[in-house]
Amino acid sequence: MRVVIAEDAVLLRVGVQRLLADDGVETVAAVDNGDDLVEAVQRHRPDLAIADVRMPPTFTDEGLRAALRARRLLPGLPVLVLSQYVEETYAVELLSGGAGGVGYLLKERVADVAEFLDAIRRVAAGGTAIDPEVITQLMARGRRSPLETLTPRETEVLGLMAQGLTNSAIAARLVVSHGAVEKHIGNIFAKLGLEASDTEHRRVRAVLTYLGR
């Protein structure tokens, strides 16, 4: 796997780079601002871009906006955002952009190296890795049909899907059978109008619909 890292804090940037190297992941570029992130993505066409939200010059949302630009220039580019807070406006745009391969993790909650590396590989493979706190804040923006047709349990299952959990992991978390989880997911797909397709991943589409609520 080849990645581009955009992080202005040098110790964190180098630390993530070394962590990835130990796991066999190649960092093709490590930059400290949004413009260089976009340039590096165009030049190297990586398998994944990892970006901090706050970077120079204003330290507000440059990294997230740069990730969105990079994703528009390279459609389908998997992007994993690492941040100290949730920037709702651009987060919704990123997470509901109509394609998989997206992640949004809060730095202070990334405490397990194995889980972090798993999130990286999951996003690079086209899946999702969303911090539960990010989901909670985005949900506060309000509901829109057809998501409000889901039962509380179906909403809970979809929330766990958004975190990137597999069916087996969801079953273990909820203390239910694997078959029960599959039934809930089937109901979710039906209520969201997501039919089987050779061109779209229904699980990813369901998660993106949920995050864009």
Side-chain angles (χ1 to χ4, degrees), residues 45-78:
R45 303 181 72 84
D47 300 305
L48 173 71
I50 301 174
D52 184 18
V53 168
R54 292 183 171 181
M55 288 194 291
T58 67
F59 296 95
T60 54
D61 53 20
E62 289 86 355
L64 189 47
R65 287 190 285 111
L68 287 167
R69 295 204 314 271
R71 198 168 166 92
R72 285 192 290 267
L73 291 169
L74 192 62
L77 170 71

Coordinates of all heavy atoms in Angstrom, one line a residue, residues 45-78:
R45 N -0.5 9.5 -7.0 CA -1.8 8.7 -7.1 C -1.7 7.5 -6.1 O -1.7 6.3 -6.4 CB -1.9 8.1 -8.5 CG -2.0 9.2 -9.5 CD -2.1 8.7 -11.0 NE -3.5 8.2 -11.2 CZ -4.5 9.0 -11.5 NH1 -4.3 10.3 -11.7 NH2 -5.7 8.5 -11.7
P46 N -1.7 7.8 -4.8 CA -1.6 6.8 -3.7 C -2.8 6.0 -3.6 O -3.9 6.2 -4.1 CB -1.3 7.7 -2.5 CG -2.1 8.9 -2.7 CD -1.9 9.2 -4.2
D47 N -2.7 4.9 -2.7 CA -3.8 4.1 -2.4 C -4.6 4.7 -1.3 O -5.8 4.3 -1.1 CB -3.3 2.7 -1.9 CG -2.5 2.0 -3.0 OD1 -3.0 1.9 -4.1 OD2 -1.3 1.6 -2.7
L48 N -4.1 5.7 -0.6 CA -4.8 6.3 0.6 C -4.1 7.6 0.9 O -2.9 7.8 0.8 CB -4.7 5.4 1.8 CG -5.2 5.9 3.1 CD1 -6.7 6.0 3.1 CD2 -4.8 5.0 4.3
A49 N -4.9 8.6 1.3 CA -4.4 9.9 1.8 C -4.9 10.0 3.2 O -6.0 9.8 3.5 CB -5.0 11.0 0.9
I50 N -3.9 10.3 4.1 CA -4.2 10.6 5.5 C -4.0 12.0 5.8 O -2.9 12.6 5.5 CB -3.3 9.7 6.4 CG1 -3.4 8.2 6.1 CG2 -3.5 10.0 7.9 CD1 -2.4 7.3 6.8
A51 N -5.0 12.7 6.3 CA -4.9 14.2 6.4 C -5.4 14.6 7.8 O -6.4 14.2 8.3 CB -5.7 14.9 5.3
D52 N -4.7 15.6 8.3 CA -5.1 16.3 9.5 C -6.1 17.4 9.0 O -6.0 17.9 7.9 CB -3.9 17.0 10.2 CG -4.3 17.7 11.5 OD1 -5.4 17.4 12.0 OD2 -3.5 18.5 12.0
V53 N -7.0 17.8 9.9 CA -8.0 18.8 9.5 C -7.4 20.2 9.6 O -7.5 21.0 8.7 CB -9.3 18.7 10.4 CG1 -10.1 20.0 10.2 CG2 -10.1 17.5 10.1
R54 N -6.7 20.5 10.7 CA -6.2 21.8 10.9 C -4.7 21.9 10.5 O -3.9 21.3 11.1 CB -6.3 22.2 12.4 CG -7.7 22.4 12.8 CD -7.8 22.9 14.3 NE -9.1 23.3 14.7 CZ -9.4 23.8 15.9 NH1 -8.5 23.8 16.8 NH2 -10.6 24.1 16.2
M55 N -4.5 22.7 9.5 CA -3.1 22.9 9.0 C -2.9 24.4 8.6 O -3.9 25.1 8.5 CB -2.8 21.9 7.8 CG -2.7 20.5 8.2 SD -2.0 19.4 6.9 CE -3.3 19.4 5.7
P56 N -1.7 24.8 8.3 CA -1.4 26.2 7.9 C -2.2 26.5 6.6 O -2.5 25.6 5.8 CB 0.1 26.2 7.7 CG 0.6 25.0 8.4 CD -0.4 23.9 8.3
P57 N -2.5 27.8 6.4 CA -2.0 28.9 7.2 C -3.0 29.3 8.4 O -2.5 30.0 9.3 CB -1.9 30.1 6.2 CG -3.0 29.7 5.2 CD -3.1 28.2 5.1
T58 N -4.2 29.0 8.3 CA -5.2 29.5 9.3 C -5.5 28.5 10.4 O -6.1 28.8 11.4 CB -6.5 29.9 8.7 OG1 -7.2 28.7 8.2 CG2 -6.3 30.9 7.6
F59 N -5.1 27.2 10.2 CA -5.3 26.2 11.2 C -6.8 26.0 11.6 O -7.1 25.9 12.7 CB -4.5 26.4 12.5 CG -3.0 26.3 12.3 CD1 -2.3 27.5 12.0 CD2 -2.3 25.1 12.2 CE1 -0.9 27.5 11.8 CE2 -0.9 25.1 12.0 CZ -0.2 26.2 11.8
T60 N -7.6 26.0 10.5 CA -9.0 25.8 10.7 C -9.5 24.5 10.1 O -9.6 23.5 10.8 CB -9.9 27.0 10.2 OG1 -9.5 27.2 8.8 CG2 -9.6 28.2 11.0
D61 N -9.7 24.5 8.8 CA -10.1 23.3 8.1 C -9.4 23.0 6.8 O -9.9 22.3 5.9 CB -11.7 23.4 7.8 CG -12.0 24.7 7.1 OD1 -11.1 25.3 6.4 OD2 -13.2 25.1 7.1
E62 N -8.2 23.6 6.7 CA -7.4 23.5 5.4 C -7.2 22.0 5.0 O -7.4 21.7 3.8 CB -6.1 24.1 5.5 CG -6.1 25.6 5.5 CD -6.3 26.2 6.9 OE1 -6.5 25.3 7.9 OE2 -6.3 27.4 7.1
G63 N -6.9 21.1 5.9 CA -6.6 19.8 5.6 C -7.8 19.0 5.0 O -7.7 18.3 4.1
L64 N -9.0 19.3 5.6 CA -10.2 18.6 5.2 C -10.6 19.1 3.8 O -11.0 18.3 2.9 CB -11.3 18.8 6.2 CG -12.6 18.0 6.0 CD1 -12.3 16.6 5.8 CD2 -13.5 18.2 7.3
R65 N -10.5 20.4 3.6 CA -10.9 21.0 2.3 C -9.9 20.5 1.2 O -10.3 20.2 0.1 CB -10.9 22.5 2.3 CG -12.1 23.1 3.1 CD -12.2 24.6 3.0 NE -11.3 25.3 3.8 CZ -10.2 26.0 3.3 NH1 -10.0 26.1 2.0 NH2 -9.4 26.6 4.1
A66 N -8.6 20.3 1.6 CA -7.6 19.8 0.6 C -8.0 18.4 0.3 O -7.8 17.9 -0.9 CB -6.2 19.9 1.2
A67 N -8.4 17.6 1.3 CA -8.7 16.2 1.0 C -9.9 16.1 0.1 O -9.9 15.2 -0.8 CB -9.1 15.5 2.4
L68 N -10.9 17.0 0.2 CA -12.0 17.0 -0.7 C -11.6 17.4 -2.1 O -12.0 16.8 -3.1 CB -13.1 18.0 -0.2 CG -13.9 17.6 1.0 CD1 -14.6 18.8 1.6 CD2 -14.8 16.5 0.6
R69 N -10.6 18.4 -2.2 CA -10.1 18.7 -3.6 C -9.4 17.5 -4.2 O -9.5 17.3 -5.4 CB -9.2 19.9 -3.5 CG -9.8 21.2 -3.0 CD -9.0 22.4 -3.5 NE -7.6 22.4 -3.3 CZ -7.0 22.8 -2.2 NH1 -7.7 23.2 -1.1 NH2 -5.7 22.7 -2.1
A70 N -8.6 16.9 -3.4 CA -7.8 15.7 -3.9 C -8.7 14.6 -4.3 O -8.5 14.0 -5.4 CB -6.9 15.2 -2.8
R71 N -9.8 14.4 -3.6 CA -10.8 13.4 -4.0 C -11.5 13.7 -5.2 O -11.9 12.8 -6.0 CB -11.8 13.2 -2.8 CG -12.5 11.9 -2.8 CD -13.2 11.7 -1.5 NE -14.2 10.7 -1.5 CZ -14.0 9.4 -1.2 NH1 -12.8 9.0 -0.9 NH2 -15.0 8.5 -1.2
R72 N -11.8 15.0 -5.5 CA -12.4 15.4 -6.7 C -11.5 15.2 -7.9 O -11.9 14.9 -9.0 CB -12.9 16.9 -6.6 CG -14.1 17.1 -5.8 CD -14.7 18.4 -5.9 NE -13.9 19.5 -5.3 CZ -14.1 19.9 -4.1 NH1 -15.0 19.4 -3.3 NH2 -13.3 20.9 -3.6
L73 N -10.2 15.5 -7.7 CA -9.2 15.4 -8.8 C -8.9 13.9 -9.1 O -8.6 13.6 -10.2 CB -7.9 16.1 -8.4 CG -8.0 17.6 -8.3 CD1 -6.7 18.2 -7.7 CD2 -8.1 18.2 -9.7
L74 N -9.0 13.1 -8.0 CA -8.7 11.7 -8.2 C -9.9 10.9 -7.6 O -9.9 10.5 -6.5 CB -7.4 11.3 -7.4 CG -6.9 9.9 -7.7 CD1 -6.5 9.7 -9.1 CD2 -5.7 9.6 -6.8
P75 N -11.0 10.8 -8.4 CA -12.2 10.2 -7.9 C -12.0 8.8 -7.3 O -11.3 8.0 -7.9 CB -13.1 10.2 -9.2 CG -12.6 11.3 -10.0 CD -11.1 11.3 -9.8
G76 N -12.6 8.6 -6.2 CA -12.5 7.3 -5.5 C -11.3 7.2 -4.6 O -11.1 6.2 -4.0
L77 N -10.5 8.3 -4.5 CA -9.3 8.3 -3.6 C -9.7 8.0 -2.2 O -10.5 8.8 -1.6 CB -8.6 9.6 -3.7 CG -7.5 9.8 -2.7 CD1 -6.3 8.9 -2.9 CD2 -7.0 11.3 -2.6
P78 N -9.3 6.9 -1.5 CA -9.6 6.7 -0.1 C -8.9 7.8 0.7 O -7.8 8.1 0.5 CB -9.0 5.3 0.1 CG -9.0 4.7 -1.2 CD -8.6 5.8 -2.1

